[in-house]
Amino acid sequence: MPPKKEEVGFTGLLQTKERWGFSFEVHCRPNTRKSPEIRTTTVAEAVAMGAVLGVPSLRQLDQALREVGVRRALGSSGERVASDTTVSRVCDVMMTSEIRQRLKEMWRLARREGVLGVEVNGRRCRVGVIDGSFIGGQYASAIVEVGAIPVPVNVVRYPKRGKELVASGILLRHLEEQEGRGCFDYVLGDGLYANEPYWATCEEVGVKAIVKLKPEEADRLLILKDARGLFDAPKRLPGVEEVEGMDLERGCGYHVWAVADLEWSTSGRRLKVARVREEWLKGPFRGQTLEFWVISQDPALDALTLRRLAHLRWFIENNEFKALNEQAHSKHVFRRSSAGALNITLLQMMGRTWLELYRHELQRLRERMKHLWDHGTFSARLLRSYMWTSLGAASLNTT
């Protein structure tokens, strides 16, 4: 009998690209490549493929590109294989604006297909998370939309530590220019973003900021001191919400206080503040009581919603930065050239989003492929191993 056809593998990945209709059509800057034997688009897709396969260096990408299955996937069977030095040189001169555009096209497709969004008070809201990180040897600020899978929207680099806030402001303004006002309903950030310039920027671009702060930050911000005085009053004061309950998913009990219409410093801006205390009954924080604060530009959000949205602040850290590094080794310095490093990072993000879209499609077939979810999850690491297995089978079938 002929060998069983792979149910999960490279063929399915390529079909996902066709169904979603995204591309890696990228060009180099004018007069930077003379008579190229390998198309720039092929190199761009090759870097994204490297992220899908989890290769840790350009040298290993060079070796992976020589796999029969990869060459067929890239449509480059008749072309020369792009060596690691070729990939390096081409990435240095690729037009970053075009790669950003391709990344945004993937984001728009994910939105259109209903993959993204969060239910807030009975309506579907567009929630972004913004944060800075050290990626590919340089500092960068990124924004990711929350949904069934993480989908990065854009990345802006900044020269040194301490410039994240400026870069994030530029990022939001670029989005407003290209996508229109209010492209997000809410944008989540950490305590760094609790300042007047950031509130003003969010107001300018038509989004509402929500900031999650550590308990020690309550001692430096007057608005949090005012809120604490209201929350700790002997009797509940008018306008103060107070709710308690159990979070079975996280395994903790919670106590939340919230109050609206507090003044931010001397600017006259009015904001809503919540304090959250959680008593953990299981997990790594078992037996501990953890506290954090939330500041929101939307006074209509109730105490429980503020707690739930504040927890999504970690979505970018856990589901994008850490997961991208595990999948694509994004902390590794692939290129010393600043432009080349940024282009590789953007292409790696595209590659990982491609893989996540494929995994999301497999999730829909969960009942027909129960063996993939034998422990309740189907990790990117396991999917990566299926990719290599299918490539090995493709190579054997051609010999």
Side-chain angles (χ1 to χ4, degrees):
M1 291 180 64
K4 185 179 178 181
K5 197 172 183 179
E6 289 289 334
E7 293 178 313
V8 178
F10 231 78
T11 300
L13 181 79
L14 296 175
Q15 289 172 347
T16 298
K17 179 188 170 188
E18 292 174 5
R19 282 192 294 269
W20 285 77
F22 57 83
S23 76
F24 294 89
E25 188 68 34
V26 177
H27 300 90
C28 287
R29 296 195 298 270
N31 304 319
T32 54
R33 296 188 74 196
K34 295 181 179 179
S35 303
E37 297 181 4
I38 301 173
R39 295 173 300 145
T40 305
T41 297
T42 301
V43 176
E45 191 166 354
V47 176
M49 286 281 190
V52 168
L53 296 171
V55 296
S57 67
L58 291 183
R59 178 57 184 157
Q60 285 181 266
L61 176 62
D62 180 320
Q63 296 170 352
L65 292 177
R66 299 177 193 279
E67 293 277 353
V68 173
V70 175
R71 296 188 67 184
R72 184 183 299 152
L74 294 173
S76 58
S77 301
E79 294 184 20
R80 292 178 56 188
V81 174
S83 66
D84 53 343
T85 54
T86 298
V87 171
S88 300
R89 289 196 302 268
V90 175
C91 284
D92 285 351
V93 296
M94 282 181 185
M95 295 182 67
T96 306
S97 60
E98 290 190 352
I99 306 177
R100 290 185 195 278
Q101 191 62 30
R102 301 290 88 80
L103 184 65
K104 284 181 182 175
E105 286 170 3
M106 294 183 81
W107 165 58
R108 295 187 193 109
L109 285 168
R111 268 193 171 183
R112 189 184 67 196
E113 295 298 320
V115 175
L116 304 176
V118 176
E119 289 291 331
V120 178
N121 295 337
R123 67 186 183 97
R124 196 75 171 170
C125 289
R126 301 163 298 178
V127 178
V129 191
I130 197 165
D131 198 11
S133 186
F134 192 71
I135 312 175
Q138 57 188 344
Y139 291 101
S141 183
I143 187 165
V144 171
E145 184 162 0
V146 181
I149 63 171
V151 178
V153 182
N154 203 355
V155 178
V156 170
R157 59 189 171 186
Y158 53 95
K160 60 182 180 180
R161 195 184 290 271
K163 298 297 183 180
E164 176 187 334
L165 199 60
V166 176
S168 295
I170 294 171
L171 191 57
L172 289 174
R173 290 190 184 92
H174 282 176
L175 276 174
E176 190 262 341
E177 291 171 4
Q178 296 162 7
E179 307 296 328
R181 277 179 56 81
C183 63
F184 286 99
D185 296 298
Y186 301 103
V187 175
L188 312 178
D190 59 22
L192 172 68
Y193 294 86
N195 61 75
E196 177 57 29
Y198 182 66
W199 305 128
T201 298
C202 288
E203 193 173 83
E204 175 188 332
V205 301
V207 304
K208 293 181 173 65
I210 298 175
V211 173
K212 180 183 179 184
L213 304 103
K214 298 176 182 177
E216 55 266 27
E217 293 175 295
D219 296 326
R220 70 177 180 86
L221 295 177
L222 291 177
I223 194 171
L224 299 189
K225 290 181 179 180
D226 292 343
R228 183 163 54 190
L230 296 173
F231 298 154
D232 293 340
K235 295 191 300 183
R236 184 187 297 185
L237 299 175
V240 175
E241 302 171 53
E242 187 174 355
V243 292
E244 295 181 73
M246 287 292 301
D247 187 332
L248 298 179
E249 184 178 348
R250 288 190 170 85
C252 68
Y254 58 79
H255 194 160
V256 188
W257 299 260
V259 64
D261 203 37
L262 292 185
E263 184 176 4
W264 172 262
S265 185
T266 58
S267 67
R269 186 179 301 279
R270 316 302 290 189
L271 301 171
K272 187 163 187 174
V273 176
R275 180 176 67 185
V276 181
R277 282 184 185 155
E278 297 177 336
E279 295 182 8
W280 286 76
L281 308 175
K282 67 175 186 179
F285 303 116
R286 182 178 179 180
Q288 297 183 48
T289 298
L290 303 181
E291 181 178 291
F292 61 87
W293 293 78
V294 188
I295 303 178
S296 169
Q297 283 186 297
D298 186 356
L301 296 177
D302 58 39
L304 288 180
T305 303
L306 286 173
R307 173 184 175 268
R308 183 165 69 90
L309 290 177
H311 274 296
L312 291 177
R313 205 284 307 160
W314 289 104
F315 188 86
I316 191 170
E317 188 69 35
N318 296 328
N319 297 58
E320 183 60 30
F321 292 147
K322 290 182 179 179
L324 180 66
N325 186 52
E326 194 280 329
Q327 174 68 32
H329 305 273
S330 58
K331 297 290 184 184
H332 177 73
V333 181
F334 284 82
R335 288 297 291 153
R336 295 292 177 185
S337 157
S338 181
L342 178 60
N343 289 338
I344 288 174
T345 294
L346 292 169
L347 290 169
Q348 286 178 328
M349 286 182 166
M350 289 187 69
R352 182 172 173 274
T353 303
W354 184 6
L355 189 69
E356 286 295 326
L357 290 172
Y358 180 38
R359 187 160 64 137
H360 178 69
E361 289 190 346
L362 292 174
Q363 177 76 25
R364 297 175 181 174
L365 304 174
R366 183 168 180 165
E367 290 303 312
R368 288 163 49 190
M369 298 176 135
K370 291 183 178 179
H371 64 285
L372 297 179
W373 283 270
D374 56 346
H375 296 291
T377 60
F378 181 37
S379 67
R381 182 178 298 178
L382 178 58
L383 184 53
R384 199 163 61 227
S385 70
Y386 275 91
M387 292 296 162
W388 282 109
T389 301
S390 65
L391 286 175
S395 298
L396 289 174
N397 290 337
T398 57
T399 57

